[in-house]
Amino acid sequence: MARPKLEVADIFRGHGAAWRQANAGHVSLGQLKVMSAIENCRTAALGGHVTRCENENCAYTQIAYNSCRNRHCPKCQGAAAREWLAEREKELLPVPYFHVVFSLPAKIADIAYHNKAVIYDILFKASAETMTTIAADPKHLGARIGVLSVLHTWGSALNHHPHVHMIVPGGGISLDGTRWVACRPNFFLAVEVLSCLFRRLVLDKLASAHQAGQLQFFGKHASLANVRTFAAYLAPLRNSKWVVYAKRPFGGPQEVLRYLARYTHRVAISNRRLVSLDNKGVTFKWKDYRLEGPSATSR
């Protein structure tokens, strides 16, 4: 595959130092380490090795510099994604699978931006608890199920959009552990029921986290540190519809795994999205799947 004309590393090397100086005190040590890793990736700074043709009439020499292997580096995650996909494919059972997605409402996504660890943990736990609770209910499936969950924190338009993708077998082990209980063809669990329980669990866990002092608020959300203000902020969400998607994938579980593998080991602004760099800034491409035709891809 040809090297892109412009890479994130090129931008960091050319403008990273000035940006870090301008934002001193507002960039974490972890972020600084990521920038340094990307800047040095596949350069002499990380060392490398030399290969040379042994034919005395050729003596062709090629230098290959080492990769940084940082999980945020656009150039270093291809192999990791392939390894992850191969391991997950080995775990698939010979049964139908369903693709399930749990999304957080925008008002919670807003406060998640400054409380990532706490709220992403709530998203994982609430979605998993929702699936296992409803599936275990004899009125729905009456079985113990397993799920594979992957967190996505951004959408196709590169906006902050925390959501969890799940790959779920179309059935589970009976509650007495004696047999396999299959779901109905092309139907797993009712999304309306999943949505209601997910909403209640997330809101309850958020209230508990707030009471325990685990949430932080800044800027326009600073007033949410007050218990009553926070409760009023969440109140409208208790009666709104929360988005839960659950369908059997057309391409089978392997296709969904391939889709997830592309995102588990990829940063939002990859090298392939970059268009140009000039004195005005960086231009990159993004796609909004809610639109159709040429207007779906913007810069």
Side-chain angles (χ1 to χ4, degrees):
M1 184 178 292
R3 181 183 184 274
K5 293 182 180 179
L6 179 63
E7 295 185 349
V8 173
D10 299 326
I11 299 171
F12 281 5
R13 293 180 192 124
H15 302 273
W19 184 87
R20 287 189 288 269
Q21 184 176 4
N23 292 274
H26 300 284
V27 186
S28 69
L29 178 59
Q31 291 169 328
L32 292 174
K33 288 182 177 179
V34 169
M35 290 189 71
S36 176
I38 293 175
E39 289 173 3
N40 294 325
C41 186
R42 301 183 190 180
T43 69
L46 298 183
H49 58 275
V50 178
T51 56
R52 177 176 297 167
C53 178
E54 294 182 347
N55 189 318
E56 61 181 13
N57 296 321
C58 176
Y60 173 77
T61 301
Q62 184 177 31
I63 299 176
Y65 294 116
N66 295 330
S67 300
C68 68
R69 301 180 68 84
N70 189 286
R71 66 181 299 269
H72 299 284
C73 179
K75 293 186 291 190
C76 287
Q77 298 307 314
R82 290 190 293 272
E83 291 173 5
W84 183 89
L85 177 60
E87 289 300 315
R88 299 295 78 76
E89 287 181 332
K90 293 178 184 177
E91 298 169 350
L92 292 176
L93 301 173
V95 298
Y97 274 76
F98 287 80
H99 181 197
V100 184
V101 183
F102 289 88
S103 299
L104 289 177
K107 294 186 74 171
I108 297 179
D110 283 347
I111 60 174
Y113 194 79
H114 292 109
N115 296 278
K116 295 182 178 67
V118 176
I119 295 183
Y120 293 168
D121 183 62
I122 288 175
L123 172 57
F124 265 122
K125 289 180 177 178
S127 57
E129 186 177 341
T130 296
M131 291 296 293
T132 55
T133 299
I134 301 301
D137 189 336
K139 293 186 295 184
H140 296 282
L141 183 64
R144 292 179 294 171
I145 63 169
V147 301
L148 168 64
S149 298
V150 174
L151 172 69
H152 285 187
T153 58
W154 44 276
S156 60
L158 302 186
N159 56 320
H160 183 230
H161 175 52
H163 57 289
V164 161
H165 287 265
M166 287 184 177
I167 300 291
V168 189
I173 304 299
S174 61
L175 299 181
D176 61 7
T178 61
R179 60 190 176 88
W180 175 262
V181 179
C183 67
R184 285 184 279 166
N186 297 318
F187 180 84
F188 187 48
L189 298 171
V191 292
E192 295 85 0
V193 178
L194 294 174
S195 177
C196 289
L197 180 56
F198 176 61
R199 177 180 61 194
R200 179 171 65 80
L201 289 174
V202 170
L203 293 176
D204 287 351
K205 291 178 186 297
L206 278 173
S208 297
H210 190 282
Q211 186 176 6
Q214 297 173 343
L215 300 177
Q216 296 181 316
F217 304 100
F218 305 92
K220 65 178 182 180
H221 293 308
S223 62
L224 296 181
N226 178 273
V227 175
R228 291 185 178 180
T229 305
F230 186 66
Y233 179 81
L234 297 181
L237 298 177
R238 297 189 180 278
N239 297 312
S240 64
K241 184 178 180 180
W242 288 36
V243 178
V244 176
Y245 167 101
K247 289 187 178 180
R248 185 172 176 180
F250 291 113
Q254 292 86 353
E255 184 60 33
V256 180
L257 284 176
R258 281 191 285 271
Y259 167 79
L260 295 179
R262 293 196 296 269
Y263 287 91
T264 54
H265 298 82
R266 190 175 75 177
V267 293
I269 303 180
S270 62
N271 291 334
R272 299 293 168 182
R273 291 187 186 271
L274 298 177
V275 177
S276 63
L277 171 66
D278 54 34
N279 292 332
K280 296 180 180 179
V282 180
T283 302
F284 58 88
K285 297 180 292 186
W286 57 273
K287 189 174 183 66
D288 190 340
Y289 288 97
R290 294 171 296 182
L291 305 176
E292 296 182 358
S295 60
T297 301
S298 303
R299 297 181 180 183

